[in-house]
Amino acid sequence: MNNFTYYTPTKVIFGKDTENQVGDMVKAQMCKKVLLHYGTGSVKRTGLLDRIKKSLDEAKINYIELGGAVPNPRLSLVYKGIELAKKEGVDFILAVGGGSAIDSAKAIGYGVANEGDVWDFYDRKRTPQACLPIGVVLTIAATGSEMSDSSVITKDEGGIKRGCNSDLCRPVFAIMNPELTMTLPDYQTSCGCTDILMHTMERYFTSKGNMEITDSIAEGLMRTVILNAKILAKDPKNYDARAEVMWAGSLSHNGLTGCGNGGNDFATHGLEHEIGGMFDVAHGAGLAALWGSWARYVYKDCLPRFYRFAIKVMNVLDNGSKEEIALKGIEKTEEFFREINMPTSMSELGIHPTDEQLKELAHRCSIAAGGSKGSAKVLHEADMLAIYKMAL
Ligand code: NZQ
Ligand code: ZN
């Protein structure tokens, strides 16, 4: 096993009606003014925003609001939020929504708490030194941003999507009521389940060692997500299945499933972020479209893990060579994606990059990664291009 640091400062309030505690949760932060930040309309349509405001009013919280965080949240709105928050003296941000609203809130938090252009942190030119405290009311189980150290923003010009990682942006609290996710379109539920699964897979497929306790947690989490994603594809109002995937979403990306196993791969994420930036696709669907091609490209370099995954997670019979079993595990994972209506190629995702665009995607991916990426297998620009081509 490898040394590790595990840091999860987020207080989790989980279960039915918990959003009504938001006023008290914010009050405990002793802040002067709150920026209430959300997406493009679902929180209004569902009545959640009104309930949040009522709770804030009852707790006598002073707040202003800014909606409009789109999926693949844009830098332009972040700039707008920073200006507004500075002008109004905001010292706490409450994000109500999914990864996009939360990530946008985190970026605004960086922009207010640091001098200079906030994009520098996403462009890896500088490291943030502070962030405004962030609270979350989660409406979709997916990214784990409610507990993660990550924020992913897309620069409007050129569609450049980049992440910034720092413990500074980990939310101080996350309110999670699985019932709030029942208004999601089925496609978004499946995208979320795919992302949750992938956050653990990105940590599991490593060639840098392992730790049995972490592997067992990871395998349990992956089995749970697969089982409950299938249940939700048929029965979207199933509360218990909603709750299972919601908690899995947080645990899958708060660091737990990577403790001691020596290295994140995150190559599929790196590849997806580029198609998300260029073609504005849903993150989870983009991951499903690329994963199989990535897996077939790298599995021989990480055979023990692919073999173990096939047996312990995808229930492949231990009958044949390790390579055959590993490949069956990959096939069964793609079958699962299809079962929950996720794409397994870029054409199924609805995008058809030209040769020039494929080269540009690989180039951007390698630049974002600082030249190379991966732990199952280290990928360089030529490898990235080969995987994009396989995923057409
Ligand atoms: O904008 P609204 O109207 O709220 O609609 C959203 C959006 O269209 C809708 N939605 C959310 N909750 C709903 C709902 N509709 C009905 N009922 C509800 N309860 O669903 C759509 C997707 O929402 P979004 O917030 O974009 O989804 P997600 O949570 O998947 O976030 C995706 C973004 O997070 C990034 C992704 O790259 C992408 O930009 N990621 C962030 C990470 C992190 N911060 O740790 C890690 C991830 O790997 C990922 O990269
Ligand atoms: Zn993700």
Side-chain angles (χ1 to χ4, degrees), residues 195 199 269 283 287:
D195 194 21
H199 289 155
H269 265 73
H283 173 62
L287 294 170

Side-chain angles (χ1 to χ4, degrees), residues 317-358:
L317 290 177
D318 197 356
N319 182 5
S321 72
K322 288 205 161 136
E323 268 195 37
E324 283 164 353
I325 289 167
L327 277 172
K328 275 190 191 149
I330 295 169
E331 275 160 29
K332 284 193 83 173
T333 308
E334 288 184 317
E335 268 167 39
F336 160 69
F337 288 147
R338 284 191 277 271
E339 203 174 327
I340 62 165
N341 300 312
M342 285 286 101
T344 55
S345 67
M346 289 198 272
S347 55
E348 284 176 21
L349 179 63
I351 64 170
H352 308 278
T354 62
D355 284 351
E356 280 313 302
Q357 284 174 323
L358 289 171

Side-chain angles (χ1 to χ4, degrees), residues 83-193:
E83 200 185 321
L84 179 68
K86 281 186 175 167
K87 191 173 102 205
E88 296 280 342
V90 164
D91 56 356
F92 187 86
I93 307 180
L94 178 64
V96 182
S100 297
I102 304 168
D103 287 5
S104 184
K106 289 174 173 180
I108 294 169
Y110 284 139
V112 173
N114 298 273
E115 294 297 321
D117 186 354
V118 71
W119 184 249
D120 289 351
F121 304 135
Y122 294 83
D123 213 14
R124 307 274 156 89
K125 287 192 182 127
R126 293 187 296 139
T127 310
Q129 302 301 310
C131 186
L132 287 189
I134 311 286
V136 171
V137 178
L138 190 65
T139 65
I140 169 171
T143 64
S145 187
E146 67 277 5
M147 288 183 91
S148 84
D149 68 348
S150 172
S151 152
V152 187
I153 298 295
T154 298
K155 189 177 191 177
D156 310 56
E157 247 168 61
I160 310 284
K161 182 171 171 176
R162 294 281 178 271
C164 171
N165 292 69
S166 162
D167 281 334
L168 295 166
C169 78
R170 288 190 195 263
V172 289
F173 68 77
I175 294 177
M176 292 185 234
N177 175 358
E179 279 181 324
L180 298 181
T181 68
M182 289 189 188
T183 52
L184 277 166
D186 294 343
Y187 183 72
Q188 287 296 339
T189 298
S190 291
C191 285
C193 290

